[in-house]
Each structure stands twice: as structure tokens, then as C-alpha cells.
């Protein structure tokens, strides 16, 4: 791999005159420069930069190229400082070009596999490099505190230890490819509601024990950049929080890279810079004025130099400066998308071996639900990736099940609807006729279209635009879901002259809450599918205006559809009838998690609960496949035979789902988030905690986040943290605890595959407090785990190291970690509520 510079004149670097040829060949991969050499190099570069060049390093600018990433810095070509391109994100590279759409990070966390996390990071980085990118705006490691959180799918679960292990490996995987990873959002970006302004009011111990360990682990793994959060922490914006950005990050943890703001999350110039923010993104609204602050004497130039230097430190380390050696790039396992989707799938329930599907099931199977037909690849917002390929789970299942399988499909929960029929439409010129009048821009004559359904060869030609006008008369009373489905251009619908819905890409950025009704799921034809609900009484008419504009080079596909009252009930009845006639039913259900807004409820959207209940009532062999980003309520859980949690499985999700359903592979993922039985059971089910009152979210649950809360309060979750079944079974034996090298422990346990298939398991180690602890502590907390893959009948001895840190609490008097001495419990189990082996060990102070 070589990084070709974009400037081909001679450079004076490190006192050596280098010619364009040196750069074109790239500096040979070799040992990193010594810290002395790096210091000398950076001193020289900073010394040679003008003030304007320095300030230009500190804020985003417009990229002259059209790669389409989130952020850009022009660099200083005359000194060989390269341009920097910063791209999202956590589930793959997000530019104008398609890239590997990886499973959602929550699926990665479910693998409990740092090894897979490293591969995952490697795929993001290789894709990034191939798309001219240098900085990856990932991983996100905010702790899942609020089950409704819109970005819960983008992060690594509710447990700090698990998140730390995964994030460190992912950072290493990204940076091994010569790109800079960015751990985000520092800190306490735990909700989307009022994310730009809410203050996370959190006490010192909770901050250190719950939210910060993931960030610290990323720093420990050498992460090059940190992104400050939008929100405030204890009343101060994270982007100008000196305690976070300087005292903790740099002084305590030794971070030497740079801190950037979130997009539009900088609120000041001098205060933010002096607190420790080095780079404003995506523009220079605040930092652009720093040059003047220096010239007028308000700001010491040294503060600017320091920020520039921190950026250059990471640039140098990534091998992006001509004089710095390029990292030796190892091979990347490009099957990570499929592997993580498969390994992260969690089998929540499997009564009477309903899964995997066998011969009887496949002789008469009905598959139900829109996400069986259209793969729900990822969540919405900046983690949305345009995939390089996709396949429907139904197709993958049909293909893999073989020619003798009899598989039928019923939509069950229809989100596509039907084109509004001509019988309900009348053109405004001839109100007794049927259809809408089309006017094409630039043409005098108009025509009447019976329906608006122009897809495939019938699409509206590139470079043209049209409007349709007329009257819509409702045949019966009720709410009509109107859906404007488009691709290749833009569209809008108005009723009675007020805007109702505009066409936006499915799962679009949704940054500030997304457009009304913009969903994640495209139609079966791949069109975006925003909707609006419009009430009508029988016979009521409303004027309607539809606009459609094709792209300059792309025809506009446009479909004006509706879902009239009664339609959904009919589809449920049809699905239940199909299920009754089949041997086995598989229902795909989904939620729509997006950046920019939290989920309004933990329930599955729309009528999906009713659909599952109806199908389960019609067929006891009902299996539910879930495509969601965070916990959902499952009032039907006891009525179905099996539940397979597939998360948002990325672009290879169809193959992963089919291979798991068919038993080609056994599920081995474990929940990284507790699934509550009822919304009110969650630790944040209190408006003072979430979404907060008067702009303040009180983190008064303290350290009792996730399973720590359910354990402390004695609440039985629907599915506990760490839970996940397999098609085989595992037994644990021979638990032993020994003194570890660093003053911690070494725990050994034997895992045996006692079933009949090969499978993966994750024995989990939890530590408990002594009888009298210095502070209130969690009943148990995760302190180690190890994913193992075993053939039937085979055993493995697993060694789990437990560091001193995992035996400590954060002392607010010492302002540091203090080991909790005394007799501590050590439990090993298959989940936080399925603890199979227990012992105690005496921890003494060092
Ligand atoms: C998100 C970040 C993202 C950035 C750039 C922000 O709105 O919060 O996570 O990296 O946009 O797209």
C-alpha cells in the first residue's frame, strides 16, 4: 500500500529535501520514527506553517472532490501535510459510493468476540482507504442507558467491560490499515431526545465506572481521534468540557491525538479550544475566528500550535506524512459482514427444538413480513451505509432450502400498499372522470393518468419534472396511510394545499429527527417509502397535488400508494390463514432505530404485535425473526415457539439468517443489552432520568445501568444480559481461581459441548461484592468472557484473566480506582441470570 501525495513539488521535511519521486514510491514500510524524530518533524512543520494554515487545520471545509464523506480538511500541500477526509461510520463507510454494509455494531457486541471486532474494523478501514478516506468516524461506545435510544444499535451494549473489549479490538483493526479511528461521542451521548442541549447530570463514580471505560480502552488501543458529544455533561457542553477533554482524556489517560467536535456541536472558539477541543466540524463557524483572536492578542498562538500538533501526531502515526513510515498493512478478512451477522445472532427462545427448520417444516413453510422480502440492512442516520449488494432473506432461504422445499410468502404487515386506484381519483379539469391530470414542465398539453405508478420502463424520464392535480375522494371513513414511493429523483404530495409528505431516501440521514414518516425500509421494488396518515369520512374529497422531479441523469420512479382502513386487518387475516394451512410459520418483524430521534415506544411499530399473535394463534410452530436495533417488548413471547434475534444484519444478512434458520450454523450470540418485560421496568423509566426535565437528565440510577439495575431491584427481565441459546448445549465444570500476574486473578473453567452439533458458546464470568463493601455495589458485574467454538462431545479449558481494575470501584475521595478487598464471589454462567458455577476468593490489598 502506498499513500500517494497530491503535491508533486519538492518538500523540505525534517531537514531533508525530498523529491516527488520519493513520495510517489512512498516511504518504505519500516519501524516507526522514534519519538524524538517525530517531535522534531512536528516542531518543524508547525514552525513552517502560517497562522492561516494552522487555523485551516482546525476546522472543516468544503471538499473540492465529490466523494461525499462527512468531513474534510485541506491540509497544507506546500509542506506535504495531506488533505484529510473523515467518513462515517460505525457500520461501514458512508460516502457517495457503495461500501460493505456491516451488521449493526450491536450485532458485533453480541458476538462477544474481540477477534471479530478486529476484522470488522479492518473491513471499514480497507473500504475507507479505497474511497480516499483517512479518518473513520467510528467506533461509537456510548453505553446503552435508555432502551428507547435511537442510536442504541450503533453502539456496543450496556456493559462497560464488554464494550471496552470490543472497542479496543475494533480501533486496532481500523488503525492497522493506516487510517485514524475516532471513538465517539465523548461523553454521555446516551439519548437522542434533545441531544444538542440536554445535560447529562452524572456523578463522578457513575461517569468513571459506566460510561468512560470504553473510551479509556480505545485510548489504550491507541485511538487517534476522539469526537466530543453534542450534549452537556453536568451543565457544560462536552465540546468545551476541560475536565473531560483535558484532565481525564489527556492528563489521566495519556491521550496524545486530537479531539474533534460532533457536526455542529461546537459552541465557542476560545473556550472550546482551551478546554481541549482541537477541531471544529464540519465548518469553521467558531474556530474560523481564532486567527483574529491570535492577532488581536486574545489568544496565545501556542494554544493553536498545540491543537495543530495533536492533529499531526495522529496523521503521522497513520503514516500519512511523507516522511513517516507507512504501517505494514496485514490482510483483512473480508467475510466479516457475513461472519458477524451469523455470530452475532441471538437465539432468544427455542421450544421443543422448533429451530433449526427440518424436512417437515420445509415441506410446508410460510414466511411472513416485509423484512423477509426486503432485507433491513441497517439503522438510520450517519451509520447508514449504501450496500454493495443485497438479497432478500426469502430468496436466500428458498435458494438454500433446495428444490423440494415448499415456501409461500404472505406480507402480513404491509408497508407498500397499492397504487391509489383511479376510482378514488378525479382530474381537476374533468371532475367526473377518473385519475389525476399530469402537467409536464415545458409541455403545453396535459394528460390524465388513471394511477400514479411509474416504475421500471414506465419511469418519468431523466431531466424532466411533472405535477399531478385533482381530487381524492375516500370510499369509506377512517385514516388513510398515504405513501409516496420514489427513487431516482424527488417527489411531494399536498392535500388541500398543505404539504403532507415529501420523498426522501429510505433511512435517510434523519439527523434532526428525519422527515415525517420516513422509514428505514424500502418497498419491495427498492423505492423509498415515506408515509402520512390522512383522515377522511366516507365520500369526503380533498384536493391533491403531487410533484415529481427526475434526476439529471436518473429517471424518476414514482408510485402514489395508499393503505386504506381495513387493509391491514385483511393482510393479518390472510397471513394467519396461510399460517394455519402451513406446517410452520416464520414471521419477520422489525423496528426502525434512527439517529436523531429515540423510539417513541419499545413496542414493535404498527400492527406487528397483532400480526404475530394472530399467526401464533393459527400455528403453534411459529418462529419470529427480529430485525431491530435495541430491545423490543414481546407480549407474544410465550405464544411462539422460537425467537431469533438477527439485529440489523448488514448486507450479507439474508445469507446469515437463512443459514441459521436451516441449521447450517448454530447461533452463538449473546445479548449485550437487557430486554425488559415491560417499559416501566427499565432503569430510565422516570421522566427525571429520561428524557429529563428542563434540559437536565438526572443519572440518579447511578451505576445501576442495564442488568445491574434489574439485579438490584429483583426485576425479572424478558431476556437477560448475556442470554443466547444454541442448537447444541454446553456444560461448565472445574471452576478454579488462581492469583494472576498483575495482582488480579486467573480463572479457569472447562466448557463441554454436551449436545449433538458444533456450536459456539460464551462462558461469562461475573464478580460480586464482599459482605461489607466500602460503597454500594452491583450484585454482580461482568469481569471476563471467552467465546469458544466446540464440536459435539469436545471440551476446552478456558482461561479468563481478571484484572485489578475489574475488582475495583471508583473512589470519589481518592478520585481513582480502589480495589475492593474481602471475600468476593466468582460466578460463571451462560448469562447474567444463568449462573452455573460459583466460588469465592479473598482479595487482599496489594
Ligand atoms: C453524528 C456523528 C457523525 C457526524 C458526521 C453527527 O450528527 O452525531 O456520529 O459522525 O454527524 O456525520
Amino acid at each position: 500500500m502506498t499513500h500517494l501525495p497530491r503535491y508533486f513539488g519538492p518538500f523540505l521535511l525534517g531537514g531533508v529535501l525530498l523529491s516527488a519521486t520519493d513520495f510517489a514510491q512512498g516511504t518504505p514500510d519500516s519501524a516507526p520514527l522514534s519519538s524524538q524524530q517525530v517531535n522534531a518533524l512536528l516542531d518543524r512543520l508547525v514552525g513552517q506553517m502560517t497562522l492561516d494554515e494552522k487555523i485551516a487545520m482546525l476546522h472543516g471545509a468544503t471538499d473540492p472532490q465529490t466523494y461525499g464523506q462527512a468531513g474534510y480538511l485541506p491540509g497544507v500541500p506546500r509542506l506535504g501535510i495531506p488533505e484529510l477526509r473523515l467518513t462515517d461510520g460505525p457500520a461501514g463507510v458512508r460516502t457517495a459510493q457503495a461500501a460493505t454494509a456491516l451488521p449493526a455494531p450491536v450485532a458485533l457486541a453480541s458476538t462477544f468476540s474481540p477477534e471479530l471486532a478486529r476484522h470488522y474494523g479492518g473491513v471499514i478501514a480497507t473500504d475507507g482507504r479505497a474511497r480516499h478516506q483517512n479518518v473513520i468516524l467510528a467506533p461509537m461506545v456510548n453505553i446503552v442507558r435508555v432502551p428507547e435510544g435511537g442510536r442504541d444499535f450503533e453502539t456496543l451494549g450496556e456493559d462497560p467491560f464488554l464494550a471496552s473489549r470490543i472497542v479496543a479490538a475494533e480501533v486496532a483493526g481500523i488503525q492497522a490499515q493506516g487510517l485514524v479511528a475516532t471513538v465517539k461521542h465523548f461523553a454521555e451521548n446516551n439519548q437522542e431526545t434533545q441531544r444538542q442541549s440536554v445535560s447529562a447530570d452524572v456523578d463522578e463514580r457513575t461517569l468513571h465506572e459506566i460510561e468512560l471505560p470504553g473510551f479509556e480502552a480505545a485510548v489504550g488501543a491507541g485511538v487517534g481521534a476522539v469526537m466530543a458529544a453534542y450534549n452537556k455533561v453536568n451543565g457544560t457542553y462536552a465540546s468545551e468540557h476541560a475536565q473531560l477533554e483535558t484532565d481525564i482524556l489527556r492528563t489521566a489517560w495519556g491521550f496524545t491525538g486530537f479531539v474533534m467536535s460532533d457536526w455542529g456541536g461546537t459552541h465557542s472558539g476560545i473556550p472550546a479550544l482551551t478546554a481541549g477541543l482541537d477541531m471544529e466540524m464540519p465548518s469553521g463557524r467558531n474556530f474560523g475566528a481564532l486567527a483574529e483572536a491570535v492577532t488581536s492578542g486574545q489568544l496565545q498562538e501556542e494554544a493553536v500550535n498545540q491543537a495543530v500538533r495533536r492533529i499531526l501526531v495522529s496523521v503521522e502515526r497513520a503514516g500519512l506524512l511523507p516522511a513517516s513510515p507507512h504501517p505494514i498493512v496485514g490482510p483483512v478478512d473480508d467475510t466479516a459482514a457475513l461472519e458477524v451477522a451469523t455470530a452475532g445472532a441471538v437465539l432468544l427462545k427455542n421450544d421443543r427444538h422448533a429451530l433449526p427448520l427440518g424436512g417437515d417444516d420445509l415441506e410446508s413453510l410460510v414466511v411472513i413480513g416485509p423484512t423477509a422480502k426486503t432485507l433491513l440492512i441497517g439503522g438510520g442516520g450517519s451509520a447508514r451505509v449504501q450496500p454493495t449488494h443485497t438479497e432478500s432473506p426469502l430468496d436466500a432461504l428458498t435458494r438454500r432450502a433446495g428444490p423440494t422445499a415448499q415456501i409461500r410468502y404472505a406480507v402480513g404487515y404491509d408497508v407498500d400498499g397499492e397504487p391509489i386506484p383511479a376510482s378514488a381519483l378525479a382530474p381537476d379539469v374533468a371532475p367526473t372522470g377518473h385519475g389525476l391530470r399530469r402537467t409536464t414542465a415545458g409541455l403545453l398539453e396535459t394528460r390524465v393518468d388513471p394511477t400514479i405508478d411509474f416504475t421500471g420502463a414506465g419511469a418519468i424520464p431523466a431531466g424532466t419534472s411533472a405535477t399531478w392535480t385533482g381530487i381524492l375522494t375516500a370510499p369509506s371513513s377512517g385514516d388513510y396511510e398515504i405513501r409516496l414511493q420514489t427513487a431516482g429523483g424527488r417527489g411531494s404530495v399536498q392535500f388541500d394545499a398543505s404539504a403532507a409528505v415529501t420523498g426522501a431516501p429510505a433511512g435517510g440521514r434523519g439527523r434532526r429527527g428525519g422527515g415525517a414518516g420516513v422509514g428505514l425500509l424500502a418497498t419491495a421494488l427498492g423505492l423509498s417509502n415515506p408515509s402520512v396518515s390522512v383522515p377522511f369520512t366516507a365520500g369526503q374529497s380533498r384536493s391533491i397535488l403531487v410533484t415529481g422531479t427526475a434526476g439529471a441523469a436518473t429517471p424518476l420512479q414514482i408510485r402514489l400508494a395508499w393503505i386504506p382502513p381495513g387493509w391491514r386487518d385483511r393482510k393479518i387475516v390472510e397471513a394467519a390463514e396461510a399460517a394455519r394451512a402451513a406446517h410452520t410459520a416464520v414471521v419477520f418483524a422489525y423496528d426502525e432505530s434512527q439517529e436523531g430521534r429515540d423510539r417513541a415506544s419499545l413496542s414493535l411499530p404498527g400492527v406487528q404485535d397483532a400480526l404475530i399473535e394472530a399467526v401464533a394463534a393459527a400455528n403453534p410452530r411459529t418462529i419470529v425473526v427480529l430485525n431491530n436495533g435495541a430491545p423490543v417488548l414481546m407480549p407474544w413471547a410465550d405464544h411462539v415457539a422460537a425467537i431469533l434475534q438477527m439485529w440489523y444484519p448488514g448486507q450479507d444478512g439474508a445469507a446469515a439468517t437463512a443459514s441459521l434458520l436451516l441449521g447450517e450454523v448454530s447461533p452463538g450470540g449473546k445479548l449485550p443489552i437487557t430486554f425488559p418485560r415491560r417499559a416501566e421496568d427499565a432503569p430510565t423509566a422516570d421522566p427525571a432520568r429520561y428524557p429529563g426535565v428542563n434540559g437536565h437528565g438526572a443519572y440518579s440510577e447511578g451505576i445501576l445501568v442495564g442488568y445491574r439495575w434489574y439485579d438490584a431491584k429483583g426485576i425479572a427481565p424478558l431476556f437477560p444480559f448475556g442470554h443466547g441459546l444454541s442448537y447444541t448445549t454446553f456444560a461448565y465444570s472445574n471452576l478454579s481461581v488462581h492469583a494472576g500476574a498483575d495482582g488480579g486473578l486467573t480463572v479457569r473453567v472447562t466448557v463441554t459441548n454436551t449436545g449433538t452439533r458444533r456450536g459456539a458458546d460464551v462462558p461469562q464470568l461475573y464478580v460480586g461484592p464482599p459482605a461489607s463493601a466500602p460503597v454500594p455495589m452491583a450484585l454482580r458485574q461482568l469481569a471476563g468472557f471467552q467465546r469458544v467454538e466446540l464440536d459435539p462431545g469436545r471440551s476446552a479449558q478456558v482461561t479468563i484473566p481478571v484484572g485489578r481494575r475489574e475488582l475495583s470501584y471508583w473512589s470519589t475521595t481518592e478520585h481513582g480506582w480502589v480495589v475492593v478487598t474481602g471475600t468476593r464471589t466468582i460466578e460463571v454462567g451462560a448469562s447474567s441470570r444463568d449462573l452455573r458455577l460459583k466460588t469465592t476468593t479473598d482479595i487482599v490489598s496489594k
Side-chain angles (χ1 to χ4, degrees), residues 222-244:
V223 76
V226 173
M227 187 190 292
Y230 279 131
N231 49 280
K232 298 173 189 148
V233 177
N234 296 325
T236 304
Y237 279 113
S239 59
E240 48 192 61
H241 206 294
Q243 194 200 356
L244 284 173

Side-chain angles (χ1 to χ4, degrees), residues 662-795:
L662 294 171
E664 294 167 16
V665 197
S666 182
K670 304 284 176 179
L671 283 184
I673 311 177
T674 305
F675 276 40
R677 200 171 278 283
R678 311 173 310 161
E680 53 271 38
D681 291 344
T684 47
D686 169 352
R689 291 185 182 150
Y690 169 77
V693 175
N694 296 330
H696 287 265
Y699 282 42
S700 52
E701 75 282 8
I703 60 156
L704 299 181
V705 171
Y707 62 89
R708 292 161 164 80
W709 169 266
Y710 295 83
D711 287 349
K713 303 290 168 190
I715 301 170
L718 178 60
F719 296 111
F721 175 86
H723 170 71
L725 305 172
S726 166
Y727 296 154
T728 187
T729 47
F730 294 93
Y732 305 147
S733 57
N734 301 331
L735 174 62
S736 65
V737 181
H738 315 264
D742 66 342
L745 305 171
T746 300
V747 177
R748 295 207 175 87
V749 65
T750 303
V751 186
T752 306
N753 181 341
T754 50
T756 54
R757 292 166 172 269
R758 183 175 170 80
D761 188 40
V762 184
Q764 301 152 42
L765 187 156
Y766 295 87
V767 293
S772 66
V775 285
M777 290 176 68
L779 207 56
R780 64 182 62 86
Q781 66 188 53
L782 187 70
F785 59 84
Q786 178 72 54
R787 190 177 170 107
V788 275
E789 183 115 20
L790 287 173
D791 284 324
R794 302 308 293 254
S795 296

Side-chain angles (χ1 to χ4, degrees), residues 70 88 137 151 154 184-185 189 195 227 230 262-263 382 509 511-512 595:
D88 288 300
L137 304 172
R151 300 184 85 169
E154 253 188 88
K184 68 187 188 184
H185 309 86
N189 184 176
R195 67 170 173 168
M227 187 190 292
Y230 279 131
D262 200 343
W263 269 230
S382 60
R509 179 127 180 114
R511 236 176 217 274
R512 313 246 181 275
E595 178 186 342

Side-chain angles (χ1 to χ4, degrees), residues 493-501 542-543 545:
V493 186
Q494 287 185 11
F495 288 98
D496 297 335
S498 57
V501 50
R542 294 181 189 274
S543 71
L545 164 67

Side-chain angles (χ1 to χ4, degrees), residues 349-355 361 576 579-586 612-624 636-642:
K349 162 172 185 169
N350 196 20
D351 283 357
R352 298 179 305 280
H353 305 288
L355 282 176
D361 303 302
R580 191 167 293 116
H583 185 274
T584 303
V586 179
I612 297 170
E613 291 287 14
V615 171
N619 189 327
R621 282 173 302 279
T622 292
I623 291 151
V624 176
W636 34 262
D638 290 342
H639 310 154
V640 301

